[in-house]
Amino acid sequence: MTPLSLWRHARLATLDGDGWGQIDDGALLVEGGHIAWVGRAAALPRELAARVTAEHDLGGALVTPGLVDCHTHLVYGGHRASEFELRLQGASYEAIARAGGGIRSTVAATRAADEQALFDSASRRARALMAEGVTTLEVKSGYGLSLEAEARCLRVARRLGRHLPLAVRTTFLGAHALPPEFEGRADDYITAVCEWLPALHAQGLVDAVDAFCENIGFSPAQTRRVFEAARALGLPVKLHAEQLSDQGGAALAASFGALSCDHLEHLGDDGIRAMRQAGSVAVLLPGAYYFLRETKLPPIAALRQAGVPMAVSTDHNPGTSPGLSLLLMASMACTLFRLTPLEAVQGITVHAARALGLRDRGTLAPGQRADFVAWDLDHPNELAYWFGRNPVQRTVFEGKERA
Ligand code: NIG
Ligand code: FE
């Protein structure tokens, strides 16, 4: 029998069910990287207690599931601080993109960077997210835009998961922008993206497929072709949808059973209905909303009323959201988007896991991965309350305490 370790003296917020799932005087029993039992310490069954080989005192800390950042573009070269200055002087994000800046400038910097440099910068960013309790991280490609450079970025993402105590999920975002060598030939570029996908998948580099469906990105018809290529390989899809305009992208993605539709400031009722029917998660990205000084709010009340699960993520990227605090995003989801603190915390745990198609994390329950965080907080609603402060005390990843 595998040894059991008991993590006791905790105030648990399990997030299992509709509410916080608070259990005072709580304990967690961990077996081989998974939670074997969770509940009030006094209710621990005798036969399990007899098998405990290690005990850890959590000192009465608040304990939640490990945080899940379900939408990042973590691997890239350079930064775009000058573009930020241009935008502050009045240039729009779209105008900069159309003039060949924006994503394309990061593509140039990423192509120029070698794999080690990309790994070093991405692992510094990953560590910043981990310091705030992130245990699962999604990383998209999309700044390489050639088979070789996309593969390099996805390899870096995989390597992060091997070298850090962190679970990494990769998403192929070849259809992020048109690279200069395909200028005026967007359909040909989509053909290339659809051809690269099986090769990248064969190398074990792809967990999901994404696209940027937008006036300055790709049309719904082009997005559909990418999704068909994904479906042919049995890969799940997600979409940067309705960020700057309503393209009907969410409904399209939902028709492919999308795990999530992300951004959604311009989402309409048809999209909401389609997402509800498909069970797609709405991933809200308040960092991009803030940094682009967007004023159109995503339709939160309608999503809530339809029962579409809402996740919250950093969208970390150098153009629209250069932030590395998932807790700040939870706070901003409340202040800017009017989520409740419970919705915001579900958004960075259980619903974020669902946005990645993962059902083995995001709550504290038997059978779930033993990824959890002890916080210097009284109540879990404080996760969306403090900002600019890191209340993490200890993080446990796959049953082992992270240094
Ligand atoms: O999620 N909108 C498309 N993609 C990114 C931004 C990419 C960039 O500007 O570099 C986003 O906002
Ligand atoms: Fe994004």
Side-chain angles (χ1 to χ4, degrees):
M1 255 186 269
T2 34
L4 291 181
S5 42
L6 181 66
W7 295 80
R8 56 181 184 76
H9 201 188
R11 287 173 299 112
L12 305 175
T14 66
L15 278 308
D16 190 24
D18 292 335
W20 294 109
Q22 282 177 275
I23 303 175
D24 290 335
D25 300 320
L28 290 153
L29 205 55
V30 173
E31 180 175 27
H34 285 80
I35 297 173
W37 178 90
V38 53
R40 277 193 314 114
L44 177 65
R46 243 173 234 276
E47 64 278 14
L48 289 177
R51 287 175 47 209
V52 168
T53 50
E55 282 199 33
H56 308 269
D57 187 346
L58 287 160
L62 173 76
V63 173
T64 69
L67 306 187
V68 177
D69 194 352
C70 65
H71 177 142
T72 84
H73 309 248
L74 207 75
V75 179
Y76 58 84
H79 62 76
R80 308 238 289 276
S82 306
E83 178 183 316
F84 177 49
E85 287 208 43
L86 286 178
R87 285 199 295 104
L88 291 173
Q89 287 157 20
S92 75
Y93 179 70
E94 287 96 321
I96 292 167
R98 286 188 206 286
I103 295 175
R104 273 196 187 181
S105 67
T106 299
V107 171
T110 304
R111 286 178 173 181
D114 69 24
E115 197 155 329
Q116 188 59 39
L118 290 173
F119 177 79
D120 290 344
S121 60
S123 70
R124 279 195 294 276
R125 293 172 198 130
R127 281 182 194 281
L129 292 165
M130 289 164 63
E132 266 193 0
V134 170
T135 50
T136 293
L137 177 69
E138 185 251 21
V139 178
K140 301 175 194 296
S141 67
Y143 291 120
L145 309 188
S146 69
L147 176 58
E148 186 279 318
E150 288 289 293
R152 180 155 27 111
C153 293
L154 291 166
R155 279 197 303 271
V156 167
R158 280 277 185 255
R159 207 171 134 201
L160 291 173
R162 284 196 307 272
H163 286 253
L164 298 173
L166 176 72
V168 172
R169 303 293 291 180
T170 60
T171 300
F172 173 54
L173 178 55
H176 194 196
L178 194 62
E181 59 275 20
F182 280 88
E183 188 62 56
R185 296 188 297 127
D187 285 327
D188 292 347
Y189 179 62
I190 292 297
T191 302
V193 164
C194 294
E195 285 168 5
W196 299 341
L197 181 56
L200 295 167
H201 183 46
Q203 294 169 58
L205 292 174
V206 184
D207 296 322
V209 176
D210 194 349
F212 184 27
C213 184
E214 192 54 69
N215 289 318
I216 55 166
F218 295 94
S219 69
Q222 290 161 343
T223 301
R224 175 185 289 279
R225 290 179 56 207
V226 175
F227 284 174
E228 278 165 356
R231 182 152 68 189
L233 295 167
L235 286 168
V237 302
K238 34 182 56 240
L239 189 65
H240 282 71
E242 309 1 330
Q243 179 184 12
L244 308 169
S245 61
D246 187 358
Q247 301 277 318
L252 171 67
S255 75
F256 281 80
L259 293 175
S260 71
C261 301
D262 305 34
H263 286 287
L264 303 174
E265 278 81 350
H266 294 260
L267 179 67
D269 290 342
D270 290 353
I272 295 175
R273 220 171 296 124
M275 286 176 67
R276 186 196 50 213
Q277 273 162 17
S280 306
V281 176
V283 177
L284 306 170
L285 304 168
Y289 174 92
Y290 156 79
F291 197 65
L292 290 179
R293 303 170 73 223
E294 177 61 74
T295 51
K296 179 136 177 50
L297 285 162
I300 303 299
L303 286 164
R304 181 185 290 130
Q305 205 188 348
V308 174
M310 294 181 279
V312 174
S313 165
T314 60
D315 189 17
H316 177 85
N317 75 76
T320 69
S321 192
L324 286 165
S325 170
L326 190 54
L327 292 180
L328 178 59
M329 299 304 122
S331 162
M332 284 164 61
C334 296
T335 53
L336 302 178
F337 290 174
R338 298 297 165 92
L339 265 64
T340 66
L342 172 61
E343 287 172 330
V345 174
Q346 289 171 329
I348 56 174
T349 54
V350 57
H351 292 160
R354 301 302 173 265
L356 297 175
L358 302 172
R359 303 210 155 257
D360 63 347
R361 66 199 80 186
T363 68
L364 300 175
Q368 293 283 93
R369 287 166 59 97
D371 297 345
F372 52 88
V373 184
W375 308 91
D376 177 20
L377 298 173
D378 293 324
H379 190 280
N381 64 10
E382 290 172 71
L383 289 167
Y385 165 76
W386 304 103
F387 57 90
R389 164 193 174 199
N390 186 356
V392 169
Q393 283 181 337
R394 303 164 78 169
T395 302
V396 174
F397 176 73
E398 290 178 335
K400 293 195 191 74
E401 184 154 8
R402 235 158 46 176

